[in-house]
Amino acid sequence: MNGVVQFLKGQAKYAADAWDQFWFTPAEPHTMAFIRLLSGSMLFYTHLVWTINLAAFLGPNAWISNEVSQELAQNSYVWTYWWWVESVPMLWAVHLVGLVVIGMYAVGYKTRITSVLSWLIAVSYCHRLISSMFGLDQVNTMCVMYLMLCPAGAVYSVDRWLENRRAGGKAPEPAPRVSTNIATRLLQIHLAIVYLFGGIGKMRGELWWDGSAAWYAFAIQEYQSLDMTWMIHFPWLIALITHVTVFWETFYFALVWNRHTRWLAIAMAFVVHGSIAICLGMITFGLAMIFVNLSFISPPAIKATVAWLVGLFRPARPAGTLANQPART
Amino acid sequence: MSKKKRAAEKNSPAIPPLWAKVLISSLLMIHLTAVFVPPFRFASLAGPDAGSPVAMDIMETLRPYIDAAYLDHGYFYFAPNPGASHLVRYEVAAAKGQEEKEYVFPDLKRERPRLLYHRHFMLSETFHRSFAPPQPPADLPPAGPEREEELTRWQDARHRYELMRDSIENHLSKKYGQPIHITRVEHRPPSPGEALDGMRPSDPSLFSDLSETEGDSSDGALPAGGQLAPFTGPAPFANPSPFSPLRVPFNQPQSQPAEDIAPGVAK
């Protein structure tokens, strides 16, 4: 009996330690800050596009009017500040303020405040314009929801630039934070859930089993941005794409958490979402999904990649320039 | 406290105390449940209100948070099968001596950039998905609470459809300064066999007008055959939000009609 108790105690301690390590190990901010830069820019673009047809979607005679939107949302806990915006001048003022806030968040200015405001703004648009929403909006709100929980402006941001300037260029490296790790974990788990149910959903369709689903996706004219119908002459290829997509999505969570197969899961994400972006006309959605997949890349790897990218664009100094400079006195 | 000490403290990792870890862990579990349950409930749906009681009950408990945080999604991208697209067509009477003009949305030529086109596409899809026929379902159960429940559900669905239709027509009428009536159009992709015979996705025979009076339509179904399921499900906000490509296409192959997956629910 004592042995069983000891065993259970040991297992409980093991689980508690694993939980503690998984959630409460401080993490550096580089991965989440890089995702903020990319997904924040996407969030800004997403909202900028509403500007083109603002009155048609949010004005007094919108496609789905304010009144209808409210009636459709009855018996739910959906909310949006747009229900209180009625006049056209007010509509523009509120929209432009929203754009400024999201722009500040994207570049990382006052990030702790603007990230929370950006989430509120993004969810407000989603709830008001529910009839025109799709996967992109889910990914956008998912990113900003978790990025607002951590210091996502600690690096690659205006905040960082200002801090550095105030410290005379000697601002210390931001410390690893538990909140950064929690936000990263939440983003990773949420993404794994998205793929899991994407895969489960497909497993219920017979076209995903008989290998023809990829054909039907390519043949929907409304999605087409690149004509892939030539593939009809390669049924084996169509079937392969169909089956690989289902299995990759369903088992993404297992592949991505194993360090030996992580590269495969992420590489597949780049291929699948890149194809969606190029062939199925959803560049924004494809890119947004790729950005979220970066959450599985470690901060040091992101740091090194960004440094390399910056090096590529920084004008090279002539050899010996520094050495030839006279010492400052 | 000196400036240096403050800076050092700011830049050293702070580990929360045990009580804070317990509190944070509890909140994390609640949040992750709220993320997991909506697609789980959606996948378990066998009818408008019939699904796993586990999923349904947890969903209802967490409903305020799920709704408020915009977490009510099914994530069924192009699932269970990729299906037909749904467009909206309308005619605008022209000035004297000119011909009537016909428009369709979404329209890539008029809606740029691509994201704006996609917004119109989602609008036409959501509008189509909300369709409920003007008459109650023919297979209503005999008198009793079940019948009342189904009738109320149909009335609600029909009301929501009419709200959306009237709103879209009102928008277009104000835009063109004349009464506009809209028609739902289905555009199915060609089957592999048809494509091998040379049919293009733009072939006019792949487009069909959808009936406003009937819940079912055999027009425009996938080549394998299928039924156009009437929307008699809960309000759009009571389910995973309607969007595409996250959608259960209305046209299922005969071996797996939409009703088998979620009777009366098309998402």
Short mmCIF file of all heavy atoms in Angstrom, two decimals, chain A residues 19-20 61 63 65 71-72 79 131 133-134 137-138 146 175 177 202 204-208 215 220-223 227, chain B residues 10-11 21 25 31 43 67-68 77-78 80-81 85 114 117 119 126 159 167 171 187 190 200 237 243-244 255-256 261:
data_model
loop_
_atom_site.label_atom_id
_atom_site.label_comp_id
_atom_site.label_asym_id
_atom_site.label_seq_id
_atom_site.Cartn_x
_atom_site.Cartn_y
_atom_site.Cartn_z
N TRP A 19 4.32 20.76 -15.22
CA TRP A 19 3.40 21.89 -15.40
C TRP A 19 4.12 23.21 -15.12
O TRP A 19 4.02 24.17 -15.87
CB TRP A 19 2.19 21.71 -14.48
CG TRP A 19 1.18 22.83 -14.53
CD1 TRP A 19 1.19 23.97 -13.79
CD2 TRP A 19 0.04 22.93 -15.39
NE1 TRP A 19 0.13 24.76 -14.11
CE2 TRP A 19 -0.60 24.16 -15.09
CE3 TRP A 19 -0.52 22.10 -16.37
CZ2 TRP A 19 -1.77 24.57 -15.74
CZ3 TRP A 19 -1.68 22.52 -17.01
CH2 TRP A 19 -2.30 23.74 -16.70
N ASP A 20 4.84 23.20 -13.99
CA ASP A 20 5.56 24.40 -13.57
C ASP A 20 6.58 24.82 -14.63
O ASP A 20 6.69 25.99 -15.00
CB ASP A 20 6.27 24.12 -12.23
CG ASP A 20 6.82 25.38 -11.62
OD1 ASP A 20 6.03 26.32 -11.38
OD2 ASP A 20 8.05 25.44 -11.41
N ASN A 61 -26.52 53.02 -43.74
CA ASN A 61 -27.21 52.09 -44.66
C ASN A 61 -26.28 50.95 -45.04
O ASN A 61 -26.15 50.59 -46.22
CB ASN A 61 -27.67 52.83 -45.92
CG ASN A 61 -28.65 53.92 -45.59
OD1 ASN A 61 -29.64 53.68 -44.89
ND2 ASN A 61 -28.37 55.14 -46.03
N TRP A 63 -24.48 47.22 -45.46
CA TRP A 63 -24.97 45.92 -45.94
C TRP A 63 -25.80 45.25 -44.85
O TRP A 63 -26.93 44.83 -45.08
CB TRP A 63 -23.80 45.00 -46.28
CG TRP A 63 -23.04 45.33 -47.52
CD1 TRP A 63 -21.79 45.90 -47.60
CD2 TRP A 63 -23.43 45.07 -48.88
NE1 TRP A 63 -21.41 46.02 -48.91
CE2 TRP A 63 -22.39 45.52 -49.73
CE3 TRP A 63 -24.56 44.51 -49.48
CZ2 TRP A 63 -22.43 45.42 -51.11
CZ3 TRP A 63 -24.61 44.41 -50.87
CH2 TRP A 63 -23.56 44.86 -51.67
N SER A 65 -27.20 46.38 -41.45
CA SER A 65 -27.32 47.62 -40.68
C SER A 65 -27.04 47.39 -39.20
O SER A 65 -27.08 46.25 -38.71
CB SER A 65 -28.72 48.19 -40.85
OG SER A 65 -29.65 47.34 -40.19
N GLU A 71 -29.86 42.92 -33.59
CA GLU A 71 -30.92 41.92 -33.44
C GLU A 71 -30.36 40.50 -33.62
O GLU A 71 -30.77 39.57 -32.92
CB GLU A 71 -32.03 42.19 -34.46
CG GLU A 71 -33.33 41.59 -33.99
CD GLU A 71 -34.55 42.15 -34.71
OE1 GLU A 71 -34.50 43.28 -35.23
OE2 GLU A 71 -35.56 41.42 -34.74
N LEU A 72 -29.43 40.37 -34.55
CA LEU A 72 -28.83 39.04 -34.75
C LEU A 72 -28.01 38.60 -33.53
O LEU A 72 -27.83 37.42 -33.30
CB LEU A 72 -27.92 39.06 -35.99
CG LEU A 72 -28.61 39.18 -37.35
CD1 LEU A 72 -27.59 39.33 -38.46
CD2 LEU A 72 -29.49 37.96 -37.63
N TRP A 79 -20.46 41.88 -27.96
CA TRP A 79 -20.47 43.32 -27.71
C TRP A 79 -19.66 44.01 -28.81
O TRP A 79 -18.79 43.40 -29.42
CB TRP A 79 -19.82 43.64 -26.35
CG TRP A 79 -18.41 43.14 -26.31
CD1 TRP A 79 -17.99 41.90 -25.96
CD2 TRP A 79 -17.23 43.84 -26.72
NE1 TRP A 79 -16.63 41.77 -26.13
CE2 TRP A 79 -16.14 42.96 -26.59
CE3 TRP A 79 -16.99 45.15 -27.19
CZ2 TRP A 79 -14.83 43.32 -26.90
CZ3 TRP A 79 -15.69 45.51 -27.50
CH2 TRP A 79 -14.63 44.60 -27.34
N SER A 131 -20.83 38.95 -40.36
CA SER A 131 -21.21 38.33 -41.64
C SER A 131 -20.08 38.36 -42.66
O SER A 131 -20.16 37.67 -43.67
CB SER A 131 -22.42 39.05 -42.24
OG SER A 131 -23.39 39.23 -41.27
N MET A 133 -16.74 38.06 -41.75
CA MET A 133 -15.51 37.57 -41.12
C MET A 133 -15.10 36.21 -41.67
O MET A 133 -15.93 35.46 -42.15
CB MET A 133 -15.72 37.44 -39.60
CG MET A 133 -15.95 38.75 -38.91
SD MET A 133 -14.49 39.78 -38.91
CE MET A 133 -15.08 41.25 -39.70
N PHE A 134 -13.82 35.89 -41.55
CA PHE A 134 -13.36 34.54 -41.90
C PHE A 134 -12.10 34.23 -41.09
O PHE A 134 -11.80 34.92 -40.11
CB PHE A 134 -13.16 34.40 -43.41
CG PHE A 134 -12.07 35.23 -44.03
CD1 PHE A 134 -10.92 34.62 -44.52
CD2 PHE A 134 -12.17 36.60 -44.13
CE1 PHE A 134 -9.91 35.37 -45.10
CE2 PHE A 134 -11.17 37.35 -44.71
CZ PHE A 134 -10.03 36.74 -45.19
N ASP A 137 -9.61 36.80 -39.47
CA ASP A 137 -10.00 37.57 -38.30
C ASP A 137 -9.84 36.78 -37.01
O ASP A 137 -9.52 37.33 -35.96
CB ASP A 137 -11.44 38.06 -38.48
CG ASP A 137 -11.59 38.78 -39.81
OD1 ASP A 137 -11.12 39.92 -39.90
OD2 ASP A 137 -12.13 38.19 -40.75
N GLN A 138 -10.05 35.48 -37.11
CA GLN A 138 -9.83 34.63 -35.94
C GLN A 138 -8.35 34.62 -35.55
O GLN A 138 -8.00 34.69 -34.37
CB GLN A 138 -10.27 33.20 -36.23
CG GLN A 138 -11.73 33.08 -36.52
CD GLN A 138 -12.07 31.76 -37.16
OE1 GLN A 138 -11.25 30.85 -37.17
NE2 GLN A 138 -13.25 31.64 -37.68
N TYR A 146 -3.12 37.17 -27.08
CA TYR A 146 -2.02 36.64 -26.27
C TYR A 146 -0.85 37.62 -26.19
O TYR A 146 -0.15 37.67 -25.19
CB TYR A 146 -1.58 35.29 -26.84
CG TYR A 146 -2.70 34.27 -26.79
CD1 TYR A 146 -3.07 33.53 -27.90
CD2 TYR A 146 -3.43 34.10 -25.61
CE1 TYR A 146 -4.12 32.62 -27.84
CE2 TYR A 146 -4.49 33.21 -25.55
CZ TYR A 146 -4.83 32.47 -26.67
OH TYR A 146 -5.87 31.59 -26.59
N ALA A 175 14.86 41.36 -19.74
CA ALA A 175 14.99 40.08 -19.04
C ALA A 175 13.94 39.09 -19.52
O ALA A 175 12.86 39.48 -19.96
CB ALA A 175 14.81 40.32 -17.55
N ARG A 177 10.83 36.72 -19.16
CA ARG A 177 9.66 36.90 -18.29
C ARG A 177 8.77 35.67 -18.34
O ARG A 177 8.62 35.04 -19.39
CB ARG A 177 8.81 38.09 -18.77
CG ARG A 177 9.53 39.38 -18.81
CD ARG A 177 9.05 40.32 -17.72
NE ARG A 177 9.96 41.45 -17.63
CZ ARG A 177 10.47 41.93 -16.51
NH1 ARG A 177 10.15 41.38 -15.36
NH2 ARG A 177 11.26 42.96 -16.51
N LYS A 202 -12.11 17.67 -41.55
CA LYS A 202 -11.85 17.08 -42.88
C LYS A 202 -12.03 15.57 -42.85
O LYS A 202 -12.48 14.97 -43.83
CB LYS A 202 -10.43 17.43 -43.33
CG LYS A 202 -10.26 18.90 -43.70
CD LYS A 202 -8.84 19.20 -44.08
CE LYS A 202 -8.66 20.66 -44.48
NZ LYS A 202 -8.88 21.61 -43.37
N ARG A 204 -14.20 14.00 -41.61
CA ARG A 204 -15.61 13.63 -41.74
C ARG A 204 -16.12 13.74 -43.17
O ARG A 204 -17.24 13.36 -43.47
CB ARG A 204 -16.45 14.53 -40.82
CG ARG A 204 -16.14 14.28 -39.37
CD ARG A 204 -16.73 15.32 -38.49
NE ARG A 204 -18.19 15.34 -38.58
CZ ARG A 204 -18.97 15.91 -37.68
NH1 ARG A 204 -18.44 16.48 -36.64
NH2 ARG A 204 -20.26 15.90 -37.82
N GLY A 205 -15.30 14.28 -44.05
CA GLY A 205 -15.74 14.45 -45.44
C GLY A 205 -15.17 13.36 -46.32
O GLY A 205 -13.99 13.05 -46.23
N GLU A 206 -16.02 12.83 -47.18
CA GLU A 206 -15.53 11.72 -48.01
C GLU A 206 -14.57 12.17 -49.10
O GLU A 206 -13.73 11.41 -49.54
CB GLU A 206 -16.70 10.93 -48.61
CG GLU A 206 -17.42 11.61 -49.73
CD GLU A 206 -18.31 10.61 -50.48
OE1 GLU A 206 -18.69 9.60 -49.87
OE2 GLU A 206 -18.60 10.88 -51.63
N LEU A 207 -14.67 13.44 -49.51
CA LEU A 207 -13.75 13.92 -50.55
C LEU A 207 -12.31 13.98 -50.04
O LEU A 207 -11.37 13.92 -50.82
CB LEU A 207 -14.19 15.29 -51.06
CG LEU A 207 -15.59 15.39 -51.68
CD1 LEU A 207 -15.86 16.80 -52.18
CD2 LEU A 207 -15.74 14.39 -52.82
N TRP A 208 -12.16 14.14 -48.71
CA TRP A 208 -10.81 14.13 -48.13
C TRP A 208 -10.28 12.71 -48.04
O TRP A 208 -9.08 12.50 -47.86
CB TRP A 208 -10.80 14.81 -46.76
CG TRP A 208 -11.02 16.29 -46.87
CD1 TRP A 208 -12.19 16.96 -46.68
CD2 TRP A 208 -10.06 17.28 -47.25
NE1 TRP A 208 -12.03 18.29 -46.90
CE2 TRP A 208 -10.72 18.53 -47.24
CE3 TRP A 208 -8.69 17.25 -47.58
CZ2 TRP A 208 -10.09 19.73 -47.57
CZ3 TRP A 208 -8.06 18.45 -47.90
CH2 TRP A 208 -8.75 19.66 -47.89
N TRP A 215 -8.74 18.90 -55.39
CA TRP A 215 -9.25 19.33 -56.70
C TRP A 215 -10.39 20.32 -56.53
O TRP A 215 -10.42 21.38 -57.14
CB TRP A 215 -9.72 18.13 -57.54
CG TRP A 215 -10.63 18.60 -58.64
CD1 TRP A 215 -11.99 18.50 -58.69
CD2 TRP A 215 -10.26 19.37 -59.80
NE1 TRP A 215 -12.49 19.12 -59.81
CE2 TRP A 215 -11.44 19.68 -60.51
CE3 TRP A 215 -9.03 19.84 -60.29
CZ2 TRP A 215 -11.44 20.40 -61.68
CZ3 TRP A 215 -9.02 20.58 -61.47
CH2 TRP A 215 -10.22 20.84 -62.15
N ILE A 220 -12.74 25.83 -57.14
CA ILE A 220 -13.73 26.85 -56.75
C ILE A 220 -13.24 28.18 -57.32
O ILE A 220 -12.24 28.74 -56.86
CB ILE A 220 -13.88 26.93 -55.21
CG1 ILE A 220 -14.35 25.58 -54.65
CG2 ILE A 220 -14.87 28.03 -54.83
CD1 ILE A 220 -14.37 25.52 -53.13
N GLN A 221 -13.95 28.67 -58.28
CA GLN A 221 -13.47 29.84 -59.01
C GLN A 221 -13.33 31.07 -58.11
O GLN A 221 -12.43 31.89 -58.29
CB GLN A 221 -14.42 30.16 -60.17
CG GLN A 221 -13.79 31.11 -61.17
CD GLN A 221 -14.79 31.54 -62.23
OE1 GLN A 221 -16.01 31.37 -62.09
NE2 GLN A 221 -14.29 32.09 -63.31
N GLU A 222 -14.23 31.18 -57.15
CA GLU A 222 -14.23 32.38 -56.30
C GLU A 222 -12.98 32.47 -55.43
O GLU A 222 -12.64 33.54 -54.94
CB GLU A 222 -15.49 32.41 -55.42
CG GLU A 222 -16.76 32.82 -56.14
CD GLU A 222 -17.23 31.77 -57.14
OE1 GLU A 222 -16.93 30.57 -56.93
OE2 GLU A 222 -17.87 32.14 -58.14
N TYR A 223 -12.32 31.35 -55.21
CA TYR A 223 -11.09 31.38 -54.41
C TYR A 223 -9.84 31.51 -55.28
O TYR A 223 -8.82 31.96 -54.82
CB TYR A 223 -10.96 30.09 -53.58
CG TYR A 223 -11.79 30.11 -52.33
CD1 TYR A 223 -12.87 29.24 -52.18
CD2 TYR A 223 -11.50 30.97 -51.29
CE1 TYR A 223 -13.65 29.25 -51.04
CE2 TYR A 223 -12.27 30.98 -50.14
CZ TYR A 223 -13.34 30.12 -50.02
OH TYR A 223 -14.10 30.14 -48.89
N ASP A 227 -4.47 29.67 -61.44
CA ASP A 227 -5.21 28.55 -62.03
C ASP A 227 -4.44 27.24 -61.85
O ASP A 227 -3.39 27.04 -62.46
CB ASP A 227 -5.45 28.84 -63.52
CG ASP A 227 -6.37 27.81 -64.15
OD1 ASP A 227 -6.72 26.83 -63.45
OD2 ASP A 227 -6.74 27.98 -65.32
N LYS B 10 14.36 45.37 -12.58
CA LYS B 10 13.48 45.38 -13.75
C LYS B 10 13.93 44.34 -14.76
O LYS B 10 13.13 43.80 -15.51
CB LYS B 10 13.52 46.78 -14.37
CG LYS B 10 12.41 47.04 -15.37
CD LYS B 10 12.56 48.40 -15.98
CE LYS B 10 11.73 48.48 -17.26
NZ LYS B 10 12.07 49.64 -18.05
N ASN B 11 15.22 44.07 -14.78
CA ASN B 11 15.75 43.19 -15.82
C ASN B 11 16.09 41.79 -15.34
O ASN B 11 16.79 41.06 -16.00
CB ASN B 11 16.96 43.84 -16.48
CG ASN B 11 16.53 45.00 -17.35
OD1 ASN B 11 15.90 44.81 -18.39
ND2 ASN B 11 16.79 46.21 -16.89
N LYS B 21 0.86 31.20 -8.82
CA LYS B 21 0.92 30.14 -9.84
C LYS B 21 -0.38 29.33 -9.86
O LYS B 21 -0.87 28.97 -10.94
CB LYS B 21 2.10 29.19 -9.53
CG LYS B 21 3.45 29.77 -9.93
CD LYS B 21 4.53 28.73 -9.70
CE LYS B 21 5.90 29.26 -10.09
NZ LYS B 21 6.98 28.32 -9.82
N SER B 25 -2.73 29.25 -12.99
CA SER B 25 -3.01 27.94 -13.59
C SER B 25 -4.52 27.72 -13.74
O SER B 25 -4.97 27.19 -14.76
CB SER B 25 -2.42 26.82 -12.73
OG SER B 25 -1.02 26.95 -12.68
N HIS B 31 -9.47 29.29 -19.52
CA HIS B 31 -9.34 29.88 -20.87
C HIS B 31 -9.17 28.79 -21.94
O HIS B 31 -9.83 28.83 -22.98
CB HIS B 31 -8.15 30.84 -20.92
CG HIS B 31 -7.89 31.34 -22.30
ND1 HIS B 31 -8.67 32.29 -22.91
CD2 HIS B 31 -6.96 30.96 -23.24
CE1 HIS B 31 -8.23 32.49 -24.15
NE2 HIS B 31 -7.20 31.70 -24.37
N ALA B 43 -18.05 20.06 -33.63
CA ALA B 43 -17.75 18.75 -34.23
C ALA B 43 -18.73 17.69 -33.73
O ALA B 43 -19.01 16.72 -34.43
CB ALA B 43 -16.32 18.34 -33.90
N ASP B 67 -18.29 34.17 -25.97
CA ASP B 67 -18.88 35.18 -26.86
C ASP B 67 -18.10 36.49 -26.80
O ASP B 67 -17.74 37.06 -27.82
CB ASP B 67 -20.33 35.48 -26.43
CG ASP B 67 -21.31 34.44 -26.99
OD1 ASP B 67 -20.87 33.59 -27.78
OD2 ASP B 67 -22.50 34.50 -26.62
N ALA B 68 -17.88 36.95 -25.58
CA ALA B 68 -17.25 38.27 -25.41
C ALA B 68 -15.84 38.30 -25.99
O ALA B 68 -15.40 39.31 -26.52
CB ALA B 68 -17.23 38.65 -23.93
N TYR B 77 -12.04 24.31 -41.63
CA TYR B 77 -11.62 24.93 -42.89
C TYR B 77 -11.80 23.94 -44.05
O TYR B 77 -11.24 22.85 -44.02
CB TYR B 77 -10.16 25.36 -42.83
CG TYR B 77 -9.87 26.37 -41.74
CD1 TYR B 77 -9.22 25.99 -40.57
CD2 TYR B 77 -10.24 27.69 -41.89
CE1 TYR B 77 -8.95 26.92 -39.58
CE2 TYR B 77 -9.98 28.63 -40.90
CZ TYR B 77 -9.33 28.23 -39.75
OH TYR B 77 -9.07 29.13 -38.76
N PHE B 78 -12.56 24.34 -45.05
CA PHE B 78 -12.85 23.50 -46.23
C PHE B 78 -13.32 22.11 -45.79
O PHE B 78 -12.96 21.10 -46.40
CB PHE B 78 -11.62 23.35 -47.13
CG PHE B 78 -11.34 24.57 -47.97
CD1 PHE B 78 -10.28 25.40 -47.70
CD2 PHE B 78 -12.16 24.87 -49.04
CE1 PHE B 78 -10.03 26.52 -48.48
CE2 PHE B 78 -11.92 26.00 -49.84
CZ PHE B 78 -10.85 26.82 -49.54
N PRO B 80 -16.66 19.62 -43.86
CA PRO B 80 -16.07 18.32 -44.16
C PRO B 80 -15.67 18.14 -45.62
O PRO B 80 -14.86 17.27 -45.91
CB PRO B 80 -17.15 17.33 -43.77
CG PRO B 80 -18.40 18.10 -43.72
CD PRO B 80 -18.06 19.52 -43.45
N ASN B 81 -16.24 18.90 -46.55
CA ASN B 81 -15.83 18.80 -47.95
C ASN B 81 -15.80 20.20 -48.57
O ASN B 81 -16.63 21.04 -48.20
CB ASN B 81 -16.84 17.96 -48.76
CG ASN B 81 -16.73 16.49 -48.45
OD1 ASN B 81 -15.64 15.93 -48.47
ND2 ASN B 81 -17.85 15.87 -48.14
N SER B 85 -19.76 27.63 -54.15
CA SER B 85 -19.75 29.01 -53.65
C SER B 85 -21.14 29.60 -53.82
O SER B 85 -21.92 29.13 -54.65
CB SER B 85 -18.78 29.87 -54.46
OG SER B 85 -17.50 29.34 -54.39
N ARG B 114 -7.88 42.24 -52.76
CA ARG B 114 -8.45 40.91 -52.61
C ARG B 114 -9.19 40.73 -51.27
O ARG B 114 -10.20 40.06 -51.20
CB ARG B 114 -7.31 39.89 -52.72
CG ARG B 114 -7.77 38.45 -52.71
CD ARG B 114 -7.93 37.91 -54.10
NE ARG B 114 -8.62 36.63 -54.09
CZ ARG B 114 -8.81 35.89 -55.16
NH1 ARG B 114 -8.37 36.29 -56.33
NH2 ARG B 114 -9.45 34.76 -55.10
N TYR B 117 -12.66 42.03 -51.55
CA TYR B 117 -13.43 41.05 -52.31
C TYR B 117 -13.87 39.91 -51.39
O TYR B 117 -15.02 39.46 -51.40
CB TYR B 117 -12.57 40.54 -53.47
CG TYR B 117 -13.02 39.22 -54.06
CD1 TYR B 117 -14.04 39.16 -55.00
CD2 TYR B 117 -12.40 38.02 -53.68
CE1 TYR B 117 -14.44 37.95 -55.54
CE2 TYR B 117 -12.79 36.81 -54.22
CZ TYR B 117 -13.81 36.77 -55.15
OH TYR B 117 -14.20 35.56 -55.69
N ARG B 119 -14.29 39.99 -48.23
CA ARG B 119 -15.34 40.46 -47.30
C ARG B 119 -16.71 40.33 -47.95
O ARG B 119 -17.68 39.91 -47.32
CB ARG B 119 -15.10 41.92 -46.90
CG ARG B 119 -13.80 42.19 -46.14
CD ARG B 119 -13.76 41.45 -44.86
NE ARG B 119 -12.61 41.80 -44.04
CZ ARG B 119 -12.19 41.05 -43.02
NH1 ARG B 119 -12.82 39.94 -42.69
NH2 ARG B 119 -11.15 41.40 -42.31
N THR B 126 -22.55 34.04 -45.97
CA THR B 126 -23.30 34.08 -44.70
C THR B 126 -24.78 34.27 -44.97
O THR B 126 -25.64 33.64 -44.34
CB THR B 126 -22.79 35.22 -43.80
OG1 THR B 126 -21.39 35.10 -43.68
CG2 THR B 126 -23.42 35.17 -42.42
N HIS B 159 -36.93 34.59 -39.62
CA HIS B 159 -36.86 36.01 -39.25
C HIS B 159 -35.45 36.56 -39.48
O HIS B 159 -35.28 37.64 -40.04
CB HIS B 159 -37.28 36.17 -37.78
CG HIS B 159 -37.21 37.58 -37.28
ND1 HIS B 159 -37.91 38.61 -37.87
CD2 HIS B 159 -36.48 38.13 -36.28
CE1 HIS B 159 -37.64 39.74 -37.23
NE2 HIS B 159 -36.77 39.48 -36.26
N SER B 167 -31.95 43.96 -45.17
CA SER B 167 -30.85 44.89 -44.93
C SER B 167 -29.98 45.04 -46.19
O SER B 167 -29.60 46.15 -46.57
CB SER B 167 -30.00 44.40 -43.75
OG SER B 167 -29.04 45.36 -43.42
N HIS B 171 -29.63 48.38 -48.47
CA HIS B 171 -28.32 48.98 -48.77
C HIS B 171 -28.21 49.27 -50.27
O HIS B 171 -27.82 50.37 -50.68
CB HIS B 171 -27.20 48.02 -48.33
CG HIS B 171 -25.86 48.39 -48.86
ND1 HIS B 171 -25.10 49.39 -48.30
CD2 HIS B 171 -25.14 47.91 -49.92
CE1 HIS B 171 -23.97 49.51 -48.98
NE2 HIS B 171 -23.97 48.63 -49.97
N HIS B 187 -22.70 28.51 -57.28
CA HIS B 187 -21.70 28.22 -58.30
C HIS B 187 -20.89 27.02 -57.84
O HIS B 187 -20.08 27.14 -56.92
CB HIS B 187 -20.79 29.44 -58.49
CG HIS B 187 -19.74 29.23 -59.54
ND1 HIS B 187 -18.63 30.04 -59.64
CD2 HIS B 187 -19.63 28.31 -60.53
CE1 HIS B 187 -17.88 29.63 -60.64
NE2 HIS B 187 -18.45 28.57 -61.20
N PRO B 190 -16.51 22.29 -61.08
CA PRO B 190 -16.69 21.12 -61.95
C PRO B 190 -16.08 19.88 -61.29
O PRO B 190 -15.09 19.98 -60.57
CB PRO B 190 -15.92 21.49 -63.22
CG PRO B 190 -14.93 22.52 -62.78
CD PRO B 190 -15.53 23.25 -61.63
N ARG B 200 -14.61 24.25 -67.81
CA ARG B 200 -13.87 25.21 -66.99
C ARG B 200 -14.71 25.60 -65.76
O ARG B 200 -15.95 25.55 -65.84
CB ARG B 200 -13.53 26.47 -67.79
CG ARG B 200 -12.75 26.22 -69.08
CD ARG B 200 -11.33 25.79 -68.80
NE ARG B 200 -10.64 26.75 -67.95
CZ ARG B 200 -9.58 26.45 -67.18
NH1 ARG B 200 -9.09 25.23 -67.17
NH2 ARG B 200 -8.99 27.37 -66.44
N PHE B 237 -25.25 33.83 -33.98
CA PHE B 237 -24.39 34.11 -32.84
C PHE B 237 -24.43 33.00 -31.81
O PHE B 237 -23.68 33.01 -30.87
CB PHE B 237 -24.76 35.44 -32.20
CG PHE B 237 -24.25 36.60 -32.96
CD1 PHE B 237 -24.96 37.11 -34.03
CD2 PHE B 237 -23.03 37.16 -32.65
CE1 PHE B 237 -24.47 38.16 -34.76
CE2 PHE B 237 -22.53 38.22 -33.38
CZ PHE B 237 -23.26 38.73 -34.43
N PHE B 243 -18.28 31.75 -41.23
CA PHE B 243 -17.27 32.28 -42.12
C PHE B 243 -16.80 31.17 -43.02
O PHE B 243 -17.03 30.01 -42.77
CB PHE B 243 -16.08 32.87 -41.36
CG PHE B 243 -15.45 31.91 -40.44
CD1 PHE B 243 -14.47 31.04 -40.91
CD2 PHE B 243 -15.84 31.83 -39.13
CE1 PHE B 243 -13.90 30.14 -40.06
CE2 PHE B 243 -15.27 30.93 -38.28
CZ PHE B 243 -14.30 30.07 -38.75
N SER B 244 -16.18 31.52 -44.04
CA SER B 244 -15.60 30.57 -44.96
C SER B 244 -14.13 30.91 -45.05
O SER B 244 -13.78 32.06 -44.94
CB SER B 244 -16.28 30.73 -46.31
OG SER B 244 -15.74 29.82 -47.22
N SER B 255 -23.47 10.09 -50.22
CA SER B 255 -23.12 9.15 -49.16
C SER B 255 -23.01 9.85 -47.81
O SER B 255 -22.98 9.21 -46.78
CB SER B 255 -21.79 8.48 -49.49
OG SER B 255 -20.80 9.46 -49.63
N GLN B 256 -22.91 11.17 -47.82
CA GLN B 256 -22.81 11.86 -46.55
C GLN B 256 -23.53 13.20 -46.63
O GLN B 256 -22.92 14.25 -46.69
CB GLN B 256 -21.35 12.11 -46.20
CG GLN B 256 -21.18 12.58 -44.78
CD GLN B 256 -19.78 13.12 -44.56
OE1 GLN B 256 -19.08 13.44 -45.49
NE2 GLN B 256 -19.38 13.22 -43.32
N ILE B 261 -24.49 15.08 -40.86
CA ILE B 261 -23.46 15.68 -40.00
C ILE B 261 -24.12 16.54 -38.94
O ILE B 261 -23.85 16.43 -37.77
CB ILE B 261 -22.50 16.51 -40.86
CG1 ILE B 261 -21.73 15.54 -41.75
CG2 ILE B 261 -21.55 17.32 -39.99
CD1 ILE B 261 -20.94 16.22 -42.81
#
